[in-house]
Amino acid sequence: MSQVVGNTALAYARVWHHVDATDRIVGKLAERIALVLMGKHKPIYDPSVDCGDYVVVTNCRSIKTTGNKDTQVMFRKHTMYPGGLKEIPYDRMMERKPDEILRHAVSGMLPKNKLRERRLARLKIFSGDRMGIIGSNILRSWEDGTLPPDFDPSTPVTSKTLEMVQAARRKATPS
C-alpha cells in the first residue's frame, strides 16, 4: 500500500480548452482565459507552480468591446530609439492583428512573474473557425461555461457547428 500523500501526476495533467470568441466581451473573456492558463480552476492550484491548461480561441475577429473603447483605445509600443513610439488605434489593430488584441488583454490579466511567458505560450488564438491540427487535442469546449450534453471530445465545437447541429435536429424532428 502506498503511503504517498499529496498531488499525483494526473492532477497536473494539462487539458486543452476551446473558446469561441464570437460576440464575447474582450475583458471578460480575457479574465476567464487567464484563470484557466494559471490553473485557478483546479483544486491543486499553487501560485508558484505552473499547473494551468491550454486554451484555444477561435473567431477572435468578432470579439466586442463595451462603451467607446473601439474608438478610444490605442495600442502603444516603443522601438527603444528616440522618437520611436508607435501608436496603433483599436480599429486598425482589429483589421490587421485581431489575435494580438486578445493576447494583450490576457497578458495584462496574468501575474507579472517568470511564469507569465510560459503561460502565454499555451494560449493559441485563431482569427477564424479553422484551428488546424490543434483541433484534435481539444477536450473541453465552453460557449457559456458549460459543456454540451452530447459532448464528444474528438470533434471541436464552435458556435457555427452548434448551429448546424441544431438546424439538423430541427429538420429531423417532424413538426
Side-chain angles (χ1 to χ4, degrees), residues 2-25:
S2 174
Q3 298 296 319
V4 176
V5 177
N7 300 323
T8 62
L10 186 60
Y12 287 101
R14 298 191 195 279
V15 177
W16 287 71
H17 299 264
H18 173 252
V19 183
D20 187 13
T22 305
D23 297 330
R24 303 282 297 266
I25 305 299

mmCIF file of all heavy atoms in Angstrom, residues 2-25:
data_model
loop_
_atom_site.group_PDB
_atom_site.id
_atom_site.type_symbol
_atom_site.label_atom_id
_atom_site.label_comp_id
_atom_site.label_asym_id
_atom_site.label_seq_id
_atom_site.Cartn_x
_atom_site.Cartn_y
_atom_site.Cartn_z
ATOM 1 N N SER A 2 0.477 2.229 -0.766
ATOM 2 C CA SER A 2 1.264 3.440 -0.888
ATOM 3 C C SER A 2 1.013 4.369 0.295
ATOM 4 O O SER A 2 -0.103 4.521 0.770
ATOM 5 C CB SER A 2 0.897 4.162 -2.187
ATOM 6 O OG SER A 2 1.543 5.390 -2.247
ATOM 7 N N GLN A 3 2.077 4.986 0.743
ATOM 8 C CA GLN A 3 1.969 5.935 1.848
ATOM 9 C C GLN A 3 2.081 7.378 1.373
ATOM 10 O O GLN A 3 2.170 8.285 2.183
ATOM 11 C CB GLN A 3 3.108 5.661 2.861
ATOM 12 C CG GLN A 3 3.036 4.288 3.488
ATOM 13 C CD GLN A 3 1.779 4.120 4.335
ATOM 14 O OE1 GLN A 3 1.388 5.021 5.051
ATOM 15 N NE2 GLN A 3 1.150 2.969 4.220
ATOM 16 N N VAL A 4 2.070 7.580 0.044
ATOM 17 C CA VAL A 4 2.255 8.911 -0.520
ATOM 18 C C VAL A 4 0.995 9.740 -0.311
ATOM 19 O O VAL A 4 -0.113 9.314 -0.616
ATOM 20 C CB VAL A 4 2.586 8.831 -2.028
ATOM 21 C CG1 VAL A 4 2.681 10.212 -2.625
ATOM 22 C CG2 VAL A 4 3.874 8.070 -2.230
ATOM 23 N N VAL A 5 1.175 10.927 0.228
ATOM 24 C CA VAL A 5 0.072 11.858 0.406
ATOM 25 C C VAL A 5 0.399 13.104 -0.407
ATOM 26 O O VAL A 5 1.504 13.630 -0.325
ATOM 27 C CB VAL A 5 -0.098 12.237 1.893
ATOM 28 C CG1 VAL A 5 -1.204 13.269 2.038
ATOM 29 C CG2 VAL A 5 -0.386 11.014 2.716
ATOM 30 N N GLY A 6 -0.552 13.561 -1.199
ATOM 31 C CA GLY A 6 -0.320 14.774 -1.975
ATOM 32 C C GLY A 6 -0.796 14.615 -3.394
ATOM 33 O O GLY A 6 -1.537 13.698 -3.737
ATOM 34 N N ASN A 7 -0.355 15.515 -4.251
ATOM 35 C CA ASN A 7 -0.820 15.557 -5.626
ATOM 36 C C ASN A 7 -0.085 14.546 -6.484
ATOM 37 O O ASN A 7 1.117 14.338 -6.345
ATOM 38 C CB ASN A 7 -0.616 16.959 -6.194
ATOM 39 C CG ASN A 7 -1.379 17.986 -5.402
ATOM 40 O OD1 ASN A 7 -2.482 17.712 -4.949
ATOM 41 N ND2 ASN A 7 -0.797 19.159 -5.221
ATOM 42 N N THR A 8 -0.811 13.923 -7.380
ATOM 43 C CA THR A 8 -0.226 12.955 -8.294
ATOM 44 C C THR A 8 0.016 13.619 -9.644
ATOM 45 O O THR A 8 -0.397 14.752 -9.882
ATOM 46 C CB THR A 8 -1.178 11.767 -8.476
ATOM 47 O OG1 THR A 8 -2.394 12.257 -9.053
ATOM 48 C CG2 THR A 8 -1.470 11.093 -7.149
ATOM 49 N N ALA A 9 0.652 12.879 -10.542
ATOM 50 C CA ALA A 9 0.922 13.403 -11.877
ATOM 51 C C ALA A 9 -0.378 13.638 -12.633
ATOM 52 O O ALA A 9 -0.469 14.538 -13.468
ATOM 53 C CB ALA A 9 1.813 12.442 -12.642
ATOM 54 N N LEU A 10 -1.398 12.851 -12.333
ATOM 55 C CA LEU A 10 -2.676 13.017 -13.002
ATOM 56 C C LEU A 10 -3.320 14.360 -12.662
ATOM 57 O O LEU A 10 -3.988 14.982 -13.484
ATOM 58 C CB LEU A 10 -3.621 11.878 -12.616
ATOM 59 C CG LEU A 10 -4.953 11.832 -13.350
ATOM 60 C CD1 LEU A 10 -4.716 11.694 -14.843
ATOM 61 C CD2 LEU A 10 -5.797 10.682 -12.842
ATOM 62 N N ALA A 11 -3.102 14.842 -11.458
ATOM 63 C CA ALA A 11 -3.656 16.132 -11.061
ATOM 64 C C ALA A 11 -3.019 17.270 -11.849
ATOM 65 O O ALA A 11 -3.662 18.293 -12.087
ATOM 66 C CB ALA A 11 -3.438 16.355 -9.568
ATOM 67 N N TYR A 12 -1.772 17.106 -12.274
ATOM 68 C CA TYR A 12 -1.074 18.150 -13.022
ATOM 69 C C TYR A 12 -1.222 17.991 -14.532
ATOM 70 O O TYR A 12 -0.636 18.754 -15.287
ATOM 71 C CB TYR A 12 0.407 18.163 -12.660
ATOM 72 C CG TYR A 12 0.663 18.716 -11.287
ATOM 73 C CD1 TYR A 12 0.911 17.862 -10.216
ATOM 74 C CD2 TYR A 12 0.627 20.076 -11.044
ATOM 75 C CE1 TYR A 12 1.137 18.365 -8.942
ATOM 76 C CE2 TYR A 12 0.840 20.589 -9.784
ATOM 77 C CZ TYR A 12 1.093 19.727 -8.739
ATOM 78 O OH TYR A 12 1.301 20.226 -7.490
ATOM 79 N N ALA A 13 -1.989 17.018 -14.991
ATOM 80 C CA ALA A 13 -2.176 16.817 -16.429
ATOM 81 C C ALA A 13 -2.847 18.041 -17.044
ATOM 82 O O ALA A 13 -3.756 18.617 -16.467
ATOM 83 C CB ALA A 13 -3.015 15.573 -16.672
ATOM 84 N N ARG A 14 -2.382 18.422 -18.219
ATOM 85 C CA ARG A 14 -2.919 19.612 -18.879
ATOM 86 C C ARG A 14 -4.030 19.206 -19.851
ATOM 87 O O ARG A 14 -3.889 18.275 -20.628
ATOM 88 C CB ARG A 14 -1.826 20.339 -19.640
ATOM 89 C CG ARG A 14 -0.727 20.846 -18.729
ATOM 90 C CD ARG A 14 0.184 21.790 -19.503
ATOM 91 N NE ARG A 14 1.422 22.045 -18.814
ATOM 92 C CZ ARG A 14 1.567 22.918 -17.828
ATOM 93 N NH1 ARG A 14 0.523 23.600 -17.416
ATOM 94 N NH2 ARG A 14 2.729 23.113 -17.265
ATOM 95 N N VAL A 15 -5.120 19.951 -19.821
ATOM 96 C CA VAL A 15 -6.272 19.715 -20.681
ATOM 97 C C VAL A 15 -6.343 20.859 -21.684
ATOM 98 O O VAL A 15 -5.977 21.991 -21.374
ATOM 99 C CB VAL A 15 -7.566 19.648 -19.832
ATOM 100 C CG1 VAL A 15 -8.785 19.483 -20.702
ATOM 101 C CG2 VAL A 15 -7.470 18.531 -18.824
ATOM 102 N N TRP A 16 -6.820 20.569 -22.890
ATOM 103 C CA TRP A 16 -6.991 21.588 -23.919
ATOM 104 C C TRP A 16 -8.431 22.078 -23.884
ATOM 105 O O TRP A 16 -9.368 21.298 -24.014
ATOM 106 C CB TRP A 16 -6.683 21.006 -25.293
ATOM 107 C CG TRP A 16 -5.236 20.762 -25.519
ATOM 108 C CD1 TRP A 16 -4.460 19.802 -24.938
ATOM 109 C CD2 TRP A 16 -4.372 21.487 -26.393
ATOM 110 N NE1 TRP A 16 -3.185 19.892 -25.396
ATOM 111 C CE2 TRP A 16 -3.096 20.906 -26.293
ATOM 112 C CE3 TRP A 16 -4.560 22.556 -27.251
ATOM 113 C CZ2 TRP A 16 -2.013 21.379 -27.022
ATOM 114 C CZ3 TRP A 16 -3.484 23.015 -27.975
ATOM 115 C CH2 TRP A 16 -2.222 22.425 -27.856
ATOM 116 N N HIS A 17 -8.623 23.391 -23.710
ATOM 117 C CA HIS A 17 -9.946 24.011 -23.684
ATOM 118 C C HIS A 17 -10.148 24.794 -24.971
ATOM 119 O O HIS A 17 -9.217 25.403 -25.483
ATOM 120 C CB HIS A 17 -10.078 24.989 -22.514
ATOM 121 C CG HIS A 17 -9.916 24.348 -21.179
ATOM 122 N ND1 HIS A 17 -10.978 23.936 -20.424
ATOM 123 C CD2 HIS A 17 -8.815 24.045 -20.453
ATOM 124 C CE1 HIS A 17 -10.557 23.424 -19.297
ATOM 125 N NE2 HIS A 17 -9.236 23.478 -19.292
ATOM 126 N N HIS A 18 -11.381 24.806 -25.477
ATOM 127 C CA HIS A 18 -11.699 25.578 -26.675
ATOM 128 C C HIS A 18 -12.688 26.675 -26.311
ATOM 129 O O HIS A 18 -13.648 26.442 -25.580
ATOM 130 C CB HIS A 18 -12.306 24.679 -27.749
ATOM 131 C CG HIS A 18 -12.805 25.453 -28.919
ATOM 132 N ND1 HIS A 18 -14.137 25.620 -29.185
ATOM 133 C CD2 HIS A 18 -12.155 26.142 -29.882
ATOM 134 C CE1 HIS A 18 -14.282 26.362 -30.256
ATOM 135 N NE2 HIS A 18 -13.089 26.692 -30.697
ATOM 136 N N VAL A 19 -12.461 27.884 -26.829
ATOM 137 C CA VAL A 19 -13.342 29.018 -26.592
ATOM 138 C C VAL A 19 -13.711 29.619 -27.936
ATOM 139 O O VAL A 19 -12.837 29.889 -28.756
ATOM 140 C CB VAL A 19 -12.646 30.106 -25.740
ATOM 141 C CG1 VAL A 19 -13.608 31.233 -25.453
ATOM 142 C CG2 VAL A 19 -12.093 29.529 -24.474
ATOM 143 N N ASP A 20 -14.997 29.833 -28.152
ATOM 144 C CA ASP A 20 -15.460 30.549 -29.337
ATOM 145 C C ASP A 20 -15.683 32.003 -28.924
ATOM 146 O O ASP A 20 -16.535 32.279 -28.081
ATOM 147 C CB ASP A 20 -16.747 29.925 -29.863
ATOM 148 C CG ASP A 20 -17.174 30.532 -31.182
ATOM 149 O OD1 ASP A 20 -16.359 31.246 -31.800
ATOM 150 O OD2 ASP A 20 -18.316 30.301 -31.589
ATOM 151 N N ALA A 21 -14.934 32.916 -29.499
ATOM 152 C CA ALA A 21 -14.962 34.311 -29.072
ATOM 153 C C ALA A 21 -16.015 35.148 -29.788
ATOM 154 O O ALA A 21 -16.028 36.366 -29.647
ATOM 155 C CB ALA A 21 -13.590 34.943 -29.296
ATOM 156 N N THR A 22 -16.912 34.532 -30.519
ATOM 157 C CA THR A 22 -17.933 35.264 -31.256
ATOM 158 C C THR A 22 -18.824 36.052 -30.302
ATOM 159 O O THR A 22 -19.435 35.475 -29.399
ATOM 160 C CB THR A 22 -18.799 34.299 -32.084
ATOM 161 O OG1 THR A 22 -17.937 33.526 -32.916
ATOM 162 C CG2 THR A 22 -19.798 35.049 -32.931
ATOM 163 N N ASP A 23 -18.889 37.366 -30.488
ATOM 164 C CA ASP A 23 -19.729 38.283 -29.704
ATOM 165 C C ASP A 23 -19.447 38.224 -28.201
ATOM 166 O O ASP A 23 -20.341 38.471 -27.396
ATOM 167 C CB ASP A 23 -21.218 38.018 -29.959
ATOM 168 C CG ASP A 23 -21.592 38.271 -31.406
ATOM 169 O OD1 ASP A 23 -20.947 39.140 -32.032
ATOM 170 O OD2 ASP A 23 -22.511 37.615 -31.908
ATOM 171 N N ARG A 24 -18.229 37.913 -27.809
ATOM 172 C CA ARG A 24 -17.851 37.937 -26.398
ATOM 173 C C ARG A 24 -17.130 39.250 -26.108
ATOM 174 O O ARG A 24 -16.475 39.819 -26.970
ATOM 175 C CB ARG A 24 -16.909 36.763 -26.063
ATOM 176 C CG ARG A 24 -17.443 35.372 -26.368
ATOM 177 C CD ARG A 24 -18.421 34.847 -25.346
ATOM 178 N NE ARG A 24 -17.879 34.673 -24.037
ATOM 179 C CZ ARG A 24 -17.373 33.541 -23.570
ATOM 180 N NH1 ARG A 24 -17.339 32.466 -24.309
ATOM 181 N NH2 ARG A 24 -16.915 33.480 -22.342
ATOM 182 N N ILE A 25 -17.227 39.731 -24.877
ATOM 183 C CA ILE A 25 -16.563 40.967 -24.471
ATOM 184 C C ILE A 25 -15.093 40.657 -24.179
ATOM 185 O O ILE A 25 -14.784 39.673 -23.501
ATOM 186 C CB ILE A 25 -17.238 41.556 -23.221
ATOM 187 C CG1 ILE A 25 -18.740 41.753 -23.471
ATOM 188 C CG2 ILE A 25 -16.588 42.864 -22.809
ATOM 189 C CD1 ILE A 25 -19.075 42.690 -24.593
#
